[in-house]
Amino acid sequence: MRRTFSFILAPLAFAAPLLFSSPATAAPSLAPCGEIFVQGGAECEIYVGPVCEGMCKPVSFTAACAAELRAECAGQCDASASVECVGGCEADCKAECEVDPGEFNCHLECQADCAANCDGRCTAAANHGECKASCEATCSADCDGECKVTPPEANCEAKCQAACTGSCDAQANIDCQIDCQASGYVDCRADYEGGCELHCQRPEGALFCDGQFVDVGSQLEACVDALKAVLEVEVYAEGSAECVGNTCHAEGEVGCSCDADGAPGGSLALVGLGLLAWRRRRS
């Protein structure tokens, strides 16, 4: 049987099963994504093949290197948050959370508060991009560490305590992290280039968020689940494909696996350019 179909900006209730399932009660954590810094409005895409390999450029590894270098520098950059920072943050955080506790996201709020001054800190830096990435990676890791142990159903007091502790711990270490990481980017980028190309050659492809390679190792599904949980995503795919039996073939851009009657189902075989992308829902 042959069937042609397309799907664009599918509702989450329909599209989520098309990807990977994630435990509803799991606390969001970006650890499977290498704790890369991902903003609330980020767009993440999976690429495969030659187009993917073309994206494996040094500039695309800045965020992944910052996350890796932050971990390496953690031993010497281990200051604790000040009481003043946490106290001031919690007052503002609770006021914001109580407006809509169900929509308050510990990880995103922590990162936003922490990273708000990264541009300012790095304005005069010789390499603004690397400095900012180091700053943001520090925010991401400390926020992840605090927020992943705070369940989504926690009250505003618990969420804000975690968000503010993570933000203030990171802020206490940002300058140290920026200095420590500065000398490691050249070697790190060289290491990532080959790894990125290998990911592109795999059937599942390589993941990029806002053009930055995400080092997922062998945890692509877990990383996708983490992004879905943290970014509150809608999933969509662009293009069209034709199904014959259990296989769908793309006309240049899209391919997927289908169930026995040719309808889309199961998991996607990632073929082509920008097959999958997800964004934070916008009101």
Side-chain angles (χ1 to χ4, degrees):
M1 179 172 65
R2 181 179 295 268
R3 180 182 179 189
T4 302
F5 64 93
S6 62
F7 41 97
I8 299 175
L9 291 172
L12 183 61
F14 169 79
L18 207 57
L19 287 172
F20 312 101
S21 60
S22 59
T25 58
S29 169
L30 289 179
C33 304
E35 293 183 338
I36 191 173
F37 180 85
V38 180
Q39 301 182 73
E43 182 170 338
C44 298
E45 299 173 298
I46 293 172
Y47 295 86
V48 298
V51 172
C52 179
E53 292 177 26
M55 296 183 66
C56 295
K57 302 175 181 178
V59 69
S60 300
F61 308 135
T62 302
C65 283
E68 179 180 309
L69 293 169
R70 185 222 63 88
E72 293 177 4
C73 292
Q76 69 183 71
C77 301
D78 58 356
S80 297
S82 68
V83 174
E84 292 77 14
C85 179
V86 176
C89 171
E90 286 187 353
D92 292 337
C93 177
K94 288 177 183 176
E96 181 177 348
C97 177
E98 287 169 358
V99 173
D100 192 349
E103 290 297 315
F104 185 88
N105 186 300
C106 175
H107 189 100
L108 292 181
E109 295 302 327
C110 176
Q111 284 196 154
D113 180 73
C114 176
N117 297 316
C118 284
D119 271 326
R121 284 177 182 266
C122 297
T123 297
N127 193 321
H128 176 86
E130 291 177 358
C131 177
K132 184 181 178 184
S134 296
C135 180
E136 291 176 340
T138 305
C139 293
S140 184
D142 282 312
C143 289
D144 191 62
E146 291 293 332
C147 290
K148 70 183 179 183
V149 297
T150 306
E153 64 272 16
N155 59 26
C156 284
E157 182 175 0
K159 287 181 178 179
C160 286
Q161 183 177 27
C164 290
T165 299
S167 174
C168 291
D169 275 347
Q171 291 180 59
N173 289 288
I174 282 174
D175 290 337
C176 174
Q177 281 282 350
I178 289 172
D179 291 341
C180 178
Q181 293 183 38
S183 62
Y185 276 96
V186 173
D187 290 341
C188 179
R189 284 182 171 129
D191 290 341
Y192 269 116
E193 187 164 5
C196 179
E197 291 174 353
L198 287 175
H199 275 80
C200 291
Q201 294 165 13
R202 297 175 181 174
E204 61 269 25
L207 174 65
F208 294 80
C209 287
D210 291 336
Q212 289 289 309
F213 172 68
V214 182
D215 181 25
V216 300
S218 60
Q219 300 189 81
L220 179 61
E221 293 187 20
C223 178
V224 169
D225 286 342
L227 288 168
K228 286 164 61 180
V230 172
L231 296 182
E232 301 175 303
V233 300
E234 287 182 346
V235 183
Y236 67 90
E238 297 179 342
S240 61
E242 291 186 342
C243 293
V244 179
N246 274 348
T247 303
C248 297
H249 296 285
E251 296 178 356
E253 292 188 6
V254 177
C256 71
S257 66
C258 299
D259 62 17
D261 65 5
S267 61
L268 292 177
L270 308 179
V271 179
L273 169 62
L275 171 56
L276 300 180
W278 47 98
R279 297 173 177 158
R280 188 178 183 184
R281 285 195 299 265
R282 303 182 187 277
S283 59

